[in-house]
Every structure is written in C-alpha cells, then in structure tokens.
Amino acid sequence: MALYVLYESASGYGLFLAHGIDEIGQNTEAVRTSVTDLNRFGKVVKFVAFTPYGSALDALNQCNAVSEGQMTDELRNFLENSLPKVKEGKKSKFSLGLAEPKLGSHIFEVTKIPCQSNEFVLEILRGVRLHFDRFIENLKPGDLEKAQLGLGHSYSRAKVKFNVNRVDNMVIQAIFILDTLDKDINSFSMRVREWYSWHFPELVKIVNDNYLYAKVAKYVDDKSQLSEDMLSGLTDIVGDEDKAKEIIEAAKASMGQDLSPIDLMNVKQFAQRVMDLAEYRKKLYDYLVAKMNDIAPNLAALIGEVVGARLISHAGSLTNLAKCPSSTLQILGAEKALFRALKTRGNTPKYGLIFHSSFIGRASARNKGRMARYLANKCSIASRIDCFMDKSTTVFGDKLREQVEERLDFYDKGVAPRKNIDMMKSAIETADGKDNDEPKAAVNGDANEEPKTENKKKKKEKRKLDEEKVEVNGLSGEDGTAKKKKTKKSKDVVMEDVPSAISEGKSKSKKKKSRTEDSD
C-alpha cells in the first residue's frame, strides 16, 4: 500500500510519497538514522504536489484549523486533486500520513481517505521538515524562515490575546512584597524599640503603634531636651494632647541612660528607614487594591483584595484559580495539614487561606466549616467570571457577597436566603445597564402577585352576586328593600320544598305497605 505524507509548512501544504517501503519492514530506528542524509532520504520520499497560502491571514486561518483538527476547503481541494481517486465500494490502495490524529479523523469522515499517524509517519515528516527547502524548486533560502517567524508571531498573538491591564503576575509579586514588608517592618520596629529603650524606656508603654513609636523617637531625639515648647509637635504626631503631656512628664523622670550624639543620630536614621518602609507599604497596598480591581474585581468585592491576591498567588495565576474546583479552593494553603491528615487518617482541614476572610471569623464555631464550603463555592464562581468575562464589573461580586451575608444570617438567625438564580438574573440585568431597583421590584411583584389576584377574584364574585340580587328584586317588585325580598324568596322556596318532600315521603310509605301486603 502506498503511503502519502501531508506536511503543513508555514508557506503552504506539501504532499509527498513514501514509496518502496513495506509495512513489515518499517523500522523506525532505520528511518531515524537515514533522515539526516538527503541522498538516502530522497530515494525513499518523492515530492508530489505543493500549494502555497494566499496571504499571511490565510496562513493564520489554515494554521488555526489544523491545530483544532478541522479540514478547510482549500485543504480538501488540494487532497482531492493531488491524491488518486477512491472508487466507491472498493478498498483504497493508499493511505495518508499526518502529524495530527484529529485532522486525520476529520479528513476520513469527509472524504473517506484512510489516514494514519504513528511513529514511522512522524519520522518521515521530520525528514521532510529538515529537507523541505530542497524539495521546492522556486523557494529562496530565507523565505521559509521569514514565513515561519511571521506565522509564529501572529499565531501566538491570536491565541494569547495579550492585555496589559489583566496581567496577574503583578498581583502575585505585589502580595509577596507586601508579606515580606510586614515581616521586615515588624522586626525593624522591634529593633528600634529595643535600641531607643536604652535611652527612653518609658516610651514603650505610652506609644504602642510601631509607626508612631518611630516617629516619636525621631522627633524627641534627646529626652533631656524635651520641654513644653515641643508639646504642639508631639500632639500632631500622637493625635492626643494628654498622651503628649504624658510623654513629656515621663521624659523628665526617665530612668534611661544618656546616649552620645552619634548613637542618637544612628537611632534617628534607623527610625526614618522604618517610617519610609511603613509609608511604602501603604502605597504598595493601594497599588495592590487598584490592580485587583482591574484583574479580579468580583473576587476582590467578595472576599477582599488581600485574601483574593493570596489565592491567585498560591494558585499561580487567575486562570489556574478559575480551573480549581471549590473543594480545592476551600483548602488552598492548607496542603501540609491535608496530607498529614490523610497520612494519619485524621480529620482533614476545613479551610485554608479563606480563613482570613471576615465571614469565617463572624461565623460560629459549629458553622465555620459550612461557611467555608459555601464561601469557597462563591469564590470559585467569582474567579471564573473575572477570568473569562471581557467586561470588567463588580456587580457579580457584590451579589455574591450579599448571598454570603444572607447565608450567615441563615445559620445564625434562621432567615431564609434568596435563591442563586434570582440573584444572578438581577446581576446580569444590572450589568447590562438596567437600574438596580428594577430587579428588586420584579422580585417583590412576584411575591405579591398571588394575593392581589385572589382579592380581585373575590371582588368580581361579590359584584356578580350583587347584580343577581338586583335582578331578582326587580322581577318581584313587591317589597321595598332588597333584604326583605331576599328573605321572602328564601322562605317561599323552603315552604315549597317542605310539602313536596312530605308528599314524596307519603308515596314511598304507601309503596312499602303495598309490597308487604303482596308478600303476605
């Protein structure tokens, strides 16, 4: 059986014939060694046909179709014109070798051309790729490399769809730096406290905040020079005049030792460095909040910017986080505890990084696990919306946060929450540009629709009864009021029914008597 090989190059489709090869003698190792030699390879593989692409856009479309396993019209026409005709009802005497098995199955479904893809075919295609420029006569030396470079760039751009504002790597780096800064600022602040306490030990108990302590230490400098004239400056730093007076009084009776001017200068410089780090930490936090609102606005609205950034950082990217199921997202960050529990057959952890969310802290001890499971479900939905939605909006995150709040009230107070489908419908309507009050009015209208219809039915029935009463009163016309006529009519009906019932009873008794007499 003859073997034709289809090669999809950057400049067009090429068809080659591998002749003189038996199926039994197909040795992959022998082909692999003979591929590098053009003389040996050219005796086995012969060039059959070649069709170039019309333009760069056409090349990109053909490349996309091949990667998706679809046969285009151009490829079908090329194969039908270049390959031998296959008669209906007869077995074909050739097969087509391809690198993509999906493309081969699609070609066989449409054209009934038998296709194959195995190691032998791949080795032949490797040799064709290596000597392709030798088979095509009119191809210049640098044309194929240029076509490959241009097609590779256009294919990558089309697949990636790069957006500078949606780069989640910046969030990952920012949250790493934020965590590092928190540790460094805490350790440096403790060093400032310990260093300056040799000179002014009473200040530690008065000022608890690390940033304020560094500010006060830099402002006071030498405690012996602290006087009432510096009260206004201390008040601006501390924010409390009583605390500023307490600092001045403590400096007068301080038990600390004196420091040399060089030591005090070094303490001031180190305190300034700690202040600079604390201010940079605030700026970095604002940057992280802004980036999270651009990259994952719904996740940030649901669980917060810092916790959302930690989840993205731990997963590796927003796309990886969107691919995670809610059960994985729930214990993300607690992998050590999970594997330890699996190893010792103990209880598995209920939450990981989402424990830092305020919802878990607000839930009671018995409901923390249930709340973590529900919150992980909503975080999974929010991350998928942020990852795959083109338009940036926080509507879905706000609605999901409302759902978590309602679920928290349901666990604590028993208040029934709204359904997820109603919340998502209202979020979609709001995202499409409608007012926020419209979906709420629609929901309330659905709830009150049934009692309104029942009241209307009752009113209609009352009106019909009144009309019937008026008609009856008009026909009788004897009494003055409608009530009297109604009572008289009812009495007449009763009196008419009574004698008829008595007469029926008498006739029945007579029949019974006659039957008894006949029997006697």
Side-chain angles (χ1 to χ4, degrees), residues 208-219:
N208 297 321
D209 186 70
N210 293 330
Y211 180 71
L212 288 180
Y213 186 90
K215 261 190 164 183
V216 172
K218 183 190 175 187
Y219 181 77

Side-chain angles (χ1 to χ4, degrees), residues 42-90:
K43 294 177 182 179
V44 177
V45 178
K46 298 294 183 182
F47 173 72
V48 177
F50 175 77
T51 177
Y53 299 133
S55 61
L57 182 61
D58 185 26
L60 178 60
N61 294 332
Q62 298 293 330
C63 185
N64 288 326
V66 169
S67 65
E68 295 171 1
Q70 299 294 323
M71 181 180 63
T72 59
D73 296 335
E74 292 82 358
L75 179 58
R76 181 176 180 177
N77 295 331
F78 173 67
L79 292 176
E80 290 177 351
N81 295 329
S82 303
L83 292 173
K85 302 294 182 182
V86 179
K87 295 181 180 180
E88 295 182 359
K90 291 186 178 181

Side-chain angles (χ1 to χ4, degrees), residues 380-425:
S380 179
I381 295 173
S383 62
R384 290 167 187 173
I385 292 172
D386 290 329
C387 183
F388 301 110
M389 192 173 182
D390 297 331
K391 186 170 58 175
S392 180
T393 178
T394 59
V395 174
F396 294 95
D398 295 335
K399 293 294 181 181
L400 292 172
R401 187 179 182 86
E402 290 178 11
Q403 281 187 284
V404 178
E405 293 279 359
E406 291 177 0
R407 182 60 59 140
L408 197 61
D409 293 338
F410 172 69
Y411 289 149
D412 294 340
K413 303 174 185 177
V415 180
R418 286 176 286 179
K419 292 184 178 180
N420 184 50
I421 187 170
D422 297 333
M423 298 293 286
M424 290 297 103
K425 282 181 179 178

Side-chain angles (χ1 to χ4, degrees), residues 188-366:
F188 291 162
S189 299
M190 293 301 297
R191 187 60 53 201
V192 170
R193 285 172 177 269
E194 189 175 349
W195 198 352
Y196 194 68
S197 293
W198 286 91
H199 180 63
F200 194 179
E202 293 81 7
L203 187 62
V204 176
K205 296 181 180 180
I206 300 173
V207 181
N208 297 321
D209 186 70
N210 293 330
Y211 180 71
L212 288 180
Y213 186 90
K215 261 190 164 183
V216 172
K218 183 190 175 187
Y219 181 77
V220 172
D221 195 8
D222 190 358
K223 64 179 182 180
S224 60
Q225 298 179 0
L226 189 62
S227 60
E228 296 292 337
D229 299 336
M230 304 172 69
L231 180 62
S232 60
L234 269 179
T235 305
D236 295 337
I237 295 172
V238 180
D240 188 3
E241 188 175 355
D242 296 335
K243 190 175 285 189
K245 290 180 180 179
E246 187 179 356
I247 292 172
I248 294 174
E249 293 297 328
K252 293 178 181 178
S254 177
M255 300 294 293
Q257 65 181 9
D258 294 334
L259 295 179
S260 63
I262 298 176
D263 295 335
L264 286 173
M265 183 179 67
N266 282 290
V267 172
K268 286 175 63 178
Q269 288 181 354
F270 189 61
Q272 182 63 43
R273 292 293 177 90
V274 173
M275 290 166 56
D276 294 340
L277 282 176
E279 291 173 358
Y280 174 67
R281 197 261 179 202
K282 292 179 182 178
K283 293 179 181 178
L284 186 65
Y285 175 76
D286 295 337
Y287 166 75
L288 179 64
V289 169
K291 292 298 291 183
M292 280 296 293
N293 289 328
D294 291 337
I295 296 168
N298 294 293
L299 186 63
L302 172 61
I303 202 171
E305 290 82 4
V306 176
V307 182
R310 291 185 200 281
L311 289 174
I312 294 173
S313 174
H314 199 83
S317 66
L318 182 61
T319 306
N320 293 342
L321 184 65
K323 291 177 182 178
C324 291
S326 58
S327 57
T328 304
L329 195 146
Q330 180 181 350
I331 58 171
L332 206 64
E335 287 82 6
K336 289 185 179 179
L338 175 65
F339 291 118
R340 184 172 62 247
L342 294 175
K343 187 176 180 180
T344 59
R345 295 183 180 180
N347 295 328
T348 56
K350 297 178 181 177
Y351 28 67
L353 291 171
I354 61 173
F355 178 77
H356 299 287
S357 173
S358 60
F359 295 112
I360 308 297
R362 288 162 54 190
S364 59
R366 56 177 297 196

